[in-house]
Amino acid sequence: MDKYIMLINCRDSSNIIAKVTNFISDKTGNITYLDQHVDESQNVFFMRLEFEIENEDFSLSQFKSDFSSELSVKFKMNWSLYHSKEKLKMAIFVSKYDHCMYDLLGRYRSNELNVEIPFIVSNHADLKGIAENFEIPFYHIPVSKDNKIQAEEEQLKLLHKYHINFIVLARYMQIVTPKLINHYKYNIINIHHSFLPAFIGAKPYHSAFKRGVKIIGATSHYVTEELDAGPIIYQDVAHVSHTYSINDLILKGKDIEKIVLSNAVKLHAKRKVMVYNNKTVIFS
Amino acid sequence: MDKYIMLINCRDSSNIIAKVTNFISDKTGNITYLDQHVDESQNVFFMRLEFEIENEDFSLSQFKSDFSSELSVKFKMNWSLYHSKEKLKMAIFVSKYDHCMYDLLGRYRSNELNVEIPFIVSNHADLKGIAENFEIPFYHIPVSKDNKIQAEEEQLKLLHKYHINFIVLARYMQIVTPKLINHYKYNIINIHHSFLPAFIGAKPYHSAFKRGVKIIGATSHYVTEELDAGPIIYQDVAHVSHTYSINDLILKGKDIEKIVLSNAVKLHAKRKVMVYNNKTVIFS
Amino acid sequence: MDKYIMLINCRDSSNIIAKVTNFISDKTGNITYLDQHVDESQNVFFMRLEFEIENEDFSLSQFKSDFSSELSVKFKMNWSLYHSKEKLKMAIFVSKYDHCMYDLLGRYRSNELNVEIPFIVSNHADLKGIAENFEIPFYHIPVSKDNKIQAEEEQLKLLHKYHINFIVLARYMQIVTPKLINHYKYNIINIHHSFLPAFIGAKPYHSAFKRGVKIIGATSHYVTEELDAGPIIYQDVAHVSHTYSINDLILKGKDIEKIVLSNAVKLHAKRKVMVYNNKTVIFS
Amino acid sequence: MDKYIMLINCRDSSNIIAKVTNFISDKTGNITYLDQHVDESQNVFFMRLEFEIENEDFSLSQFKSDFSSELSVKFKMNWSLYHSKEKLKMAIFVSKYDHCMYDLLGRYRSNELNVEIPFIVSNHADLKGIAENFEIPFYHIPVSKDNKIQAEEEQLKLLHKYHINFIVLARYMQIVTPKLINHYKYNIINIHHSFLPAFIGAKPYHSAFKRGVKIIGATSHYVTEELDAGPIIYQDVAHVSHTYSINDLILKGKDIEKIVLSNAVKLHAKRKVMVYNNKTVIFS
């Protein structure tokens, strides 16, 4: 039995839900999950469906072309369709911090993440040993003021070679180039170590300490050209007090960062995220 | 434009979603919301829909009888249909504690709860003044060992007189009689002052203190004949420490109780709860 | 038996704890609580003590003058001493929103807050009825562009007449004048409806909606001349999702605001807060 | 400069704080931290101090014997004194689950835990590879019905050989023998995968699923002879819903278990925990 995941968004209009479910049903699909959302301030409709096909004569290409002509054109839909067994290929970019990378690789090894990780890339060699322990190819591509363009080219070559679908910046500490962002639009996930939009930019824990906040947080978001301003996927926080030094904040923060980043990766990998107007719809 | 809410559960089978959405669409309904769940361990399907009718010729009774003959009988569905403007009538049962009652009445006055509150009943007269401030009829029905049956009769008379749909035990402190429970099956909401199933029964904060827990909680659930064992609607918790005396736990707990109870009331009032096998499905 | 609370801060130096505890002990005081903190980045020492005096010959003024000459001058201490039964007098400033005021008054009536509330003042008459229900004098002082100075004068007169110690802005919606701020330095508590420093200024829930955050919050802080930038006393948050409209955010936010403001009031009333360098030390 | 940590508990009586601080001060100690607690229901006093010694002539043994004769005997104190650089030696017991062990070892490598880990022991060989990656000796001691006593003997030999101070059961899945418990009283930390006292015993996630709870949790506690009933050190929880299968609960629970266990280990390693009457005092 084949299982498919379908994502749709379009201008809201009358009875889209019934039309789509009817279409799938006519094509011998058995819908096993449906979640939908209407953004009333924008008048936009979002839907995520899962359906099963038992019919041996089912033609995916026929389904796609019929859906396009019968529904998608008419409602000007953005839509995508995945086989549930198609795992996304995910590249990890790291720098020197190991906690997020460790967390992702531990979950990867326990089959918690629905992805393949063909390689890890870093601008430093420090984490090579960990990658080797997990038997994942590690590429060291140093980045400096002078070699930015060349480094980006090497990264892009690797990404193409391994057919990477999305990138995770696991505390990568470098600003990603616009070219890479455009190649992987809404497919680069960053972890920022504050509850955005508070403390944008570098050293957020230092800023949190200075401001005397009683809560710190972390935010995973898609990378866009504006720094730390992309669509937010997941956030979490922890209570702190005046007794926390900057180092205590950093330590506490690491635990939040790990959880927040891995949650975002899971949501993305299960195709549960849609982006619209710089915001995300996160399906249940 | 009329708006309806529909709740369905039945044995899971192929393509129920499409069949129901198709039916509603044929009846000129525009589905604006759909959430569904399959309990795979029980093989049971649950769905909640909202749909709008603009058609002036729409006949609700025709819709119901057709739904019954075309779908409900075939799939052995349990289903219900509400006009979205029909407010449920809610009775509040209290004893001497005022915090949950205050919270509910404050929200009622701010139109936060989607209900009508025709009256408040109590086994003590202490909270009469508060009810009067909010201009809600208050009935004092003392309950003792000797008058249990008579008190229950008086309560039932009031409940019938005011056409009450559901009852909220806002720290009522009395065990409700089986007769009342059966009259209002899954329509009596209790707030228990612990994170059930920990600390069932009386004085849970004393038990929490004795056990030295680091987290306390509260649980709202439907009342069933077995004490504190009914389907859980909502729970929340708070961190505590060794510095909390029993009184501190009680004080902290009151804040959780209020929030938990009002959340359960809101979910129930919006028909977002279905009960199956002593558990709840809470729709989004 | 008399019980006293003492707060001290000064430049950190060797063995202040022992010197102070020794002094109190010599004066026949039995220390029942001590919490202390050193801000290592500023090299500042903070301490809060509670002690009991059973001795009938104890002279408070002697204690104070001896403490001053023997310790305070030498270590350049800022210190204060309160009898534990001295309740602070708190004025509530409101506008049209009632949820925070309701919450405070409910707790006041249940003796949860360790304060007296001599009056409530508002720039609108809307909440007069609630104040009357709680039998607290209510003053309506309209504020407009033209009468700002006069309104401030009226407020100050009331504050002096009732010997008010601190002011709570329970969603007061007006910017407090510098004159008032200086009269009540670190004695005006505001509730801001976001997790500061995110979303400073007006309409934070609208900004939160626009940014698509997955967590909203509230912050209670002392008012300083810079808007929403004073020392933070307490913060809390709640998870939200794309399904929340602005109104849903506002509704959810109200529950957080109430809890956060009442927590700040309790901490202040129990003299558990010290301010230094625009940050707070919150004693346990 | 030497730094010491001191823990004291005794029957509460007048001015113990001043007497102890005075004693330390007389011995040229500079107290840099003090936290204290009185359990009023038991009339027991608890205190944790940190102090520094710059004096080269300071004699630790003299300090101890004087403290004993001058204070400890008189007040019947239980007390202990540690040099802050003395790291506790911690053994990890595991079975087949790797998530808690991974988490502890990752933190160990990042110097987050204030301990030494001389070895890991397991009743299965599955996690040997991970231990080797972290370069920590791994002992495989199979446990069956027939060899329980012999296995315990081997464990005890290892524990003695490596001078182990405390044991962490990182999802060890075996019931520890009374002999071991007595050898390491309040020095064996277990992680139980529910918010105790709910769901004691095996398969708590299955029970949580069956009961339909909306919150799951984890509890770290000291092991005592009564199953899952020892003093609680740390607890945390996460919200769940009807959409969670048992496997989803297990997965979500793993994240809580890791955080809860590592928090308990950190508190124990920093000597911030005192046990009394089957409850813990956790110092700040």
Side-chain angles (χ1 to χ4, degrees):
Chain A
M1 184 147 51
D2 287 298
K3 197 163 182 174
Y4 295 93
I5 297 165
M6 193 167 192
L7 293 170
I8 299 170
N9 78 47
C10 60
R11 194 149 208 79
D12 192 25
S13 79
S14 203
N15 244 348
I16 303 180
I17 297 175
K19 276 162 193 151
V20 173
T21 54
N22 212 15
F23 175 90
I24 293 171
S25 181
D26 284 351
K27 294 291 182 190
T28 72
N30 175 29
I31 298 165
T32 55
Y33 162 97
L34 189 162
D35 191 12
Q36 118 295 338
H37 172 64
V38 176
D39 181 332
E40 290 180 2
S41 67
Q42 310 274 341
N43 201 35
V44 182
F45 174 85
F46 302 87
M47 184 157 59
R48 184 178 183 279
L49 300 118
E50 296 180 5
F51 59 91
E52 298 165 344
I53 302 284
E54 275 191 279
N55 176 6
E56 287 183 11
D57 300 333
F58 177 77
S59 153
L60 184 60
S61 58
Q62 190 65 43
F63 182 99
K64 284 178 169 180
S65 73
D66 289 354
F67 187 84
S68 190
S69 58
E70 291 174 34
L71 288 172
S72 158
V73 170
K74 187 177 159 201
F75 290 101
K76 291 181 185 154
M77 288 174 172
N78 302 305
W79 63 282
S80 47
L81 186 63
Y82 311 91
H83 196 286
S84 70
K85 288 208 180 127
E86 256 178 77
K87 282 190 184 179
L88 292 176
K89 290 186 177 64
M90 160 179 141
I92 302 180
F93 281 43
V94 290
S95 193
K96 290 181 171 184
Y97 290 112
D98 62 8
H99 58 289
C100 284
M101 171 172 155
Y102 249 123
D103 189 70
L104 288 170
L105 296 183
R107 292 172 197 276
Y108 181 52
R109 169 130 69 179
S110 321
N111 290 315
E112 242 188 76
L113 309 176
N114 190 36
V115 299
E116 284 176 38
I117 305 181
F119 70 90
I120 294 164
V121 71
S122 177
N123 54 335
H124 294 284
D126 305 50
L127 305 184
K128 194 178 190 339
I130 302 176
E132 283 171 358
N133 282 345
F134 284 88
E135 293 167 2
I136 296 175
F138 180 92
Y139 295 92
H140 176 204
I141 304 179
V143 178
S144 68
K145 273 187 189 168
D146 303 330
N147 80 338
K148 277 225 154 185
I149 289 170
Q150 191 198 323
E152 183 198 67
E153 278 312 309
E154 283 186 60
Q155 291 171 350
L156 279 167
K157 256 188 222 161
L158 278 175
L159 294 165
H160 291 149
K161 180 182 159 195
Y162 285 103
H163 306 287
I164 292 300
N165 299 105
F166 76 109
I167 297 166
V168 172
L169 309 180
R171 300 294 310 276
Y172 176 52
M173 311 300 286
Q174 295 284 320
I175 290 179
V176 179
T177 59
K179 191 170 175 183
L180 200 62
I181 294 173
N182 288 327
H183 263 69
Y184 284 93
K185 197 173 180 189
Y186 302 140
N187 278 304
I188 306 177
I189 297 174
N190 185 42
I191 177 72
H192 184 74
H193 37 321
S194 81
F195 48 67
L196 290 174
F199 309 130
I200 285 168
K203 299 207 175 243
Y205 293 123
H206 289 72
S207 306
F209 180 80
K210 189 160 182 295
R211 181 63 186 91
V213 292
K214 303 300 183 189
I215 284 176
I216 58 166
T219 305
S220 54
H221 63 94
Y222 290 117
V223 175
T224 55
E225 290 203 30
E226 191 183 341
L227 183 66
D228 297 332
I232 293 171
I233 307 168
Y234 199 85
Q235 297 188 293
D236 210 349
V237 296
H239 287 262
V240 296
S241 77
H242 65 272
T243 64
Y244 281 66
S245 66
I246 290 176
N247 273 338
D248 292 334
L249 295 177
I250 289 171
L251 221 54
K252 185 89 173 184
K254 280 165 130 188
D255 281 353
I256 317 171
E257 294 164 28
K258 291 189 290 191
I259 298 283
V260 167
L261 182 57
S262 68
N263 268 292
V265 167
K266 283 184 198 178
L267 289 169
H268 185 91
K270 289 184 185 160
R271 285 90 167 181
K272 294 202 162 184
V273 188
M274 291 192 83
V275 176
Y276 185 82
N277 201 24
N278 207 44
K279 293 165 66 171
T280 59
V281 171
I282 307 290
F283 292 106
S284 64
Chain B
M1 184 148 49
D2 286 297
K3 197 162 182 174
Y4 294 93
I5 298 165
M6 193 167 191
L7 293 170
I8 299 169
N9 78 47
C10 60
R11 193 147 208 83
D12 192 25
S13 78
S14 202
N15 245 348
I16 303 179
I17 297 176
K19 276 161 194 152
V20 173
T21 55
N22 211 17
F23 175 90
I24 293 171
S25 182
D26 284 350
K27 295 290 184 191
T28 72
N30 175 29
I31 297 166
T32 56
Y33 162 97
L34 189 161
D35 192 11
Q36 119 295 336
H37 171 64
V38 176
D39 181 332
E40 290 180 2
S41 68
Q42 309 275 341
N43 201 35
V44 183
F45 174 84
F46 303 86
M47 183 157 62
R48 184 179 183 278
L49 299 119
E50 296 179 5
F51 60 90
E52 299 165 344
I53 302 284
E54 275 190 281
N55 176 6
E56 288 182 11
D57 300 332
F58 177 77
S59 153
L60 183 60
S61 58
Q62 189 65 43
F63 182 99
K64 284 178 168 179
S65 72
D66 289 354
F67 188 83
S68 190
S69 58
E70 291 175 34
L71 288 173
S72 161
V73 170
K74 187 176 158 201
F75 291 101
K76 291 181 185 154
M77 288 175 171
N78 302 305
W79 63 282
S80 47
L81 186 63
Y82 311 92
H83 196 287
S84 71
K85 287 206 179 129
E86 253 179 78
K87 283 189 183 179
L88 291 176
K89 291 188 177 63
M90 159 179 141
I92 302 180
F93 281 42
V94 289
S95 195
K96 290 182 171 182
Y97 290 112
D98 63 7
H99 58 289
C100 284
M101 172 173 153
Y102 248 124
D103 189 71
L104 288 171
L105 296 183
R107 291 172 198 275
Y108 181 51
R109 169 129 72 182
S110 322
N111 290 315
E112 241 188 74
L113 308 177
N114 190 37
V115 299
E116 284 175 40
I117 305 181
F119 70 90
I120 293 164
V121 72
S122 179
N123 55 334
H124 294 284
D126 306 48
L127 306 184
K128 194 177 184 0
I130 302 175
E132 283 171 359
N133 283 345
F134 283 89
E135 293 167 5
I136 295 175
F138 179 92
Y139 295 91
H140 176 203
I141 304 179
V143 178
S144 68
K145 273 188 190 168
D146 303 330
N147 80 339
K148 277 225 153 183
I149 289 170
Q150 191 199 322
E152 182 199 70
E153 279 312 309
E154 284 186 59
Q155 292 171 350
L156 280 167
K157 257 186 223 161
L158 279 174
L159 294 165
H160 291 149
K161 181 183 158 194
Y162 285 105
H163 306 287
I164 293 300
N165 298 107
F166 75 108
I167 297 167
V168 173
L169 309 180
R171 300 295 312 276
Y172 176 53
M173 312 300 285
Q174 294 285 320
I175 291 179
V176 179
T177 59
K179 191 170 175 183
L180 200 63
I181 294 173
N182 287 327
H183 264 71
Y184 283 93
K185 199 176 179 187
Y186 304 140
N187 278 304
I188 306 177
I189 298 175
N190 185 42
I191 176 73
H192 183 74
H193 37 320
S194 81
F195 48 68
L196 290 174
F199 308 130
I200 286 168
K203 302 210 173 240
Y205 293 124
H206 289 72
S207 307
F209 179 80
K210 188 158 182 296
R211 182 64 186 90
V213 291
K214 302 301 184 189
I215 284 176
I216 58 167
T219 305
S220 54
H221 62 94
Y222 290 116
V223 174
T224 55
E225 291 203 29
E226 192 183 341
L227 183 67
D228 299 332
I232 293 171
I233 307 169
Y234 198 85
Q235 298 187 292
D236 211 350
V237 296
H239 287 261
V240 295
S241 77
H242 65 273
T243 64
Y244 282 66
S245 67
I246 290 175
N247 274 337
D248 293 334
L249 294 178
I250 289 171
L251 222 55
K252 184 89 172 184
K254 280 165 131 189
D255 281 353
I256 316 172
E257 293 164 29
K258 291 190 289 193
I259 299 283
V260 167
L261 182 58
S262 68
N263 268 293
V265 168
K266 284 184 198 177
L267 290 168
H268 185 91
K270 289 183 185 161
R271 285 89 167 181
K272 294 203 163 184
V273 188
M274 290 192 85
V275 175
Y276 185 81
N277 201 23
N278 207 44
K279 293 166 65 171
T280 60
V281 170
I282 307 290
F283 292 106
S284 66
Chain C
M1 184 147 53
D2 287 298
K3 196 161 182 174
Y4 294 94
I5 297 165
M6 194 167 191
L7 292 170
I8 299 169
N9 79 46
C10 59
R11 194 149 208 80
D12 192 26
S13 78
S14 204
N15 245 349
I16 303 179
I17 296 175
K19 276 162 192 149
V20 173
T21 54
N22 212 15
F23 175 89
I24 293 171
S25 181
D26 285 351
K27 294 290 183 191
T28 73
N30 175 29
I31 297 166
T32 56
Y33 163 96
L34 188 161
D35 191 11
Q36 118 295 338
H37 172 63
V38 176
D39 181 333
E40 290 180 2
S41 67
Q42 309 274 342
N43 201 34
V44 182
F45 174 84
F46 302 86
M47 184 158 59
R48 183 179 183 279
L49 301 119
E50 297 180 5
F51 59 90
E52 299 166 343
I53 302 285
E54 275 190 280
N55 176 6
E56 288 182 11
D57 300 333
F58 177 77
S59 152
L60 183 62
S61 58
Q62 190 64 42
F63 182 99
K64 284 179 168 180
S65 72
D66 289 356
F67 188 84
S68 190
S69 58
E70 292 175 35
L71 287 173
S72 160
V73 169
K74 185 176 161 202
F75 289 101
K76 292 182 185 153
M77 288 174 172
N78 302 305
W79 63 283
S80 47
L81 185 64
Y82 310 92
H83 195 286
S84 69
K85 288 210 178 124
E86 254 178 78
K87 283 190 183 179
L88 291 176
K89 290 187 177 62
M90 158 178 142
I92 302 181
F93 281 43
V94 288
S95 193
K96 290 182 170 183
Y97 290 111
D98 63 7
H99 58 288
C100 284
M101 171 173 155
Y102 248 124
D103 189 71
L104 288 171
L105 296 183
R107 292 173 198 276
Y108 181 50
R109 169 129 71 180
S110 321
N111 290 317
E112 243 188 73
L113 308 177
N114 190 35
V115 299
E116 284 176 40
I117 305 181
F119 71 90
I120 294 164
V121 72
S122 178
N123 55 335
H124 294 285
D126 305 50
L127 304 185
K128 192 176 190 341
I130 302 176
E132 283 171 358
N133 282 344
F134 284 89
E135 293 167 3
I136 295 175
F138 180 92
Y139 295 92
H140 176 203
I141 303 179
V143 178
S144 68
K145 274 188 189 167
D146 303 330
N147 79 338
K148 277 225 153 186
I149 289 170
Q150 191 198 323
E152 183 198 67
E153 279 312 310
E154 284 185 59
Q155 291 171 351
L156 280 167
K157 256 186 222 161
L158 279 174
L159 294 164
H160 290 148
K161 179 181 159 196
Y162 287 103
H163 306 288
I164 293 300
N165 298 105
F166 75 109
I167 298 166
V168 173
L169 309 179
R171 298 295 311 276
Y172 176 53
M173 312 300 285
Q174 295 284 320
I175 291 179
V176 179
T177 58
K179 190 169 175 185
L180 201 61
I181 294 173
N182 287 327
H183 264 69
Y184 283 93
K185 199 175 179 188
Y186 303 139
N187 278 305
I188 306 177
I189 297 175
N190 185 41
I191 176 73
H192 183 74
H193 37 321
S194 81
F195 46 67
L196 290 174
F199 309 130
I200 286 168
K203 300 210 174 239
Y205 293 123
H206 290 73
S207 306
F209 180 80
K210 189 159 182 295
R211 181 64 185 90
V213 292
K214 303 300 184 188
I215 284 175
I216 58 167
T219 305
S220 53
H221 63 94
Y222 290 117
V223 175
T224 56
E225 289 203 32
E226 192 183 340
L227 183 66
D228 298 333
I232 293 171
I233 307 168
Y234 198 86
Q235 299 188 290
D236 210 349
V237 295
H239 286 262
V240 296
S241 77
H242 65 273
T243 64
Y244 282 66
S245 66
I246 291 176
N247 274 337
D248 293 334
L249 294 178
I250 290 171
L251 222 54
K252 184 90 174 183
K254 281 165 129 189
D255 281 353
I256 316 172
E257 293 164 29
K258 291 190 289 192
I259 298 284
V260 167
L261 181 57
S262 68
N263 268 291
V265 167
K266 283 184 199 179
L267 290 168
H268 185 90
K270 289 183 186 160
R271 284 89 167 183
K272 294 201 161 186
V273 188
M274 291 192 83
V275 176
Y276 185 81
N277 200 25
N278 207 45
K279 293 164 67 169
T280 59
V281 170
I282 308 290
F283 292 106
S284 64
Chain D
M1 184 147 50
D2 287 298
K3 196 162 182 173
Y4 294 93
I5 297 165
M6 193 167 192
L7 292 170
I8 298 169
N9 78 46
C10 59
R11 194 149 208 81
D12 193 26
S13 78
S14 203
N15 245 349
I16 303 180
I17 297 175
K19 277 161 193 152
V20 173
T21 54
N22 211 17
F23 175 90
I24 293 171
S25 181
D26 284 351
K27 294 290 183 192
T28 72
N30 175 29
I31 297 166
T32 56
Y33 162 97
L34 188 161
D35 191 10
Q36 120 293 339
H37 171 62
V38 176
D39 181 332
E40 290 181 2
S41 67
Q42 309 275 340
N43 200 35
V44 182
F45 174 84
F46 302 87
M47 184 157 60
R48 184 179 182 278
L49 301 117
E50 296 180 5
F51 59 90
E52 299 165 343
I53 302 285
E54 275 191 280
N55 175 5
E56 288 182 12
D57 301 333
F58 177 77
S59 152
L60 183 61
S61 58
Q62 189 66 43
F63 181 99
K64 284 178 168 181
S65 73
D66 290 354
F67 187 84
S68 189
S69 59
E70 291 176 34
L71 288 173
S72 160
V73 169
K74 186 175 160 204
F75 290 101
K76 292 181 184 156
M77 289 174 172
N78 301 305
W79 63 282
S80 47
L81 185 63
Y82 310 92
H83 195 287
S84 70
K85 286 205 179 131
E86 253 178 79
K87 282 190 185 179
L88 291 176
K89 289 187 179 62
M90 158 178 140
I92 302 180
F93 281 42
V94 289
S95 192
K96 290 183 170 181
Y97 290 112
D98 62 8
H99 57 290
C100 284
M101 171 173 156
Y102 249 125
D103 188 71
L104 288 170
L105 296 183
R107 293 172 197 276
Y108 180 50
R109 169 129 73 181
S110 319
N111 290 317
E112 242 188 74
L113 308 177
N114 190 37
V115 299
E116 284 176 39
I117 304 181
F119 70 90
I120 294 164
V121 73
S122 178
N123 54 335
H124 294 285
D126 305 49
L127 305 185
K128 194 176 186 350
I130 302 175
E132 283 171 357
N133 282 345
F134 285 88
E135 293 167 1
I136 295 175
F138 179 92
Y139 295 92
H140 177 203
I141 304 179
V143 178
S144 68
K145 273 186 191 170
D146 304 329
N147 80 338
K148 277 224 152 184
I149 290 170
Q150 189 197 324
E152 182 198 70
E153 279 312 310
E154 284 186 59
Q155 292 171 351
L156 280 167
K157 257 187 221 160
L158 278 174
L159 294 165
H160 292 149
K161 179 182 160 197
Y162 285 104
H163 306 287
I164 293 300
N165 298 105
F166 75 110
I167 297 167
V168 173
L169 309 180
R171 300 296 309 276
Y172 175 52
M173 312 301 285
Q174 295 284 319
I175 291 179
V176 179
T177 59
K179 191 169 175 183
L180 200 61
I181 295 174
N182 287 327
H183 263 70
Y184 283 94
K185 200 177 179 187
Y186 303 141
N187 277 305
I188 306 178
I189 298 175
N190 185 41
I191 176 72
H192 183 74
H193 37 320
S194 81
F195 48 68
L196 290 174
F199 308 130
I200 286 168
K203 301 210 174 240
Y205 293 124
H206 289 72
S207 306
F209 179 81
K210 190 160 181 294
R211 181 64 186 92
V213 293
K214 303 301 183 188
I215 285 175
I216 57 166
T219 305
S220 54
H221 63 94
Y222 290 116
V223 175
T224 55
E225 289 202 30
E226 191 182 342
L227 183 67
D228 297 333
I232 294 172
I233 307 169
Y234 197 85
Q235 297 187 292
D236 210 349
V237 295
H239 287 262
V240 296
S241 77
H242 64 273
T243 64
Y244 282 65
S245 66
I246 290 175
N247 274 337
D248 293 334
L249 294 177
I250 289 170
L251 222 54
K252 184 89 173 184
K254 280 164 129 189
D255 281 353
I256 316 171
E257 293 163 29
K258 291 189 290 192
I259 299 285
V260 167
L261 181 57
S262 68
N263 268 291
V265 167
K266 283 185 199 177
L267 289 168
H268 185 91
K270 289 183 186 160
R271 284 91 167 183
K272 295 203 162 184
V273 188
M274 291 192 84
V275 176
Y276 185 82
N277 201 23
N278 207 44
K279 294 166 65 170
T280 59
V281 170
I282 308 289
F283 293 106
S284 64

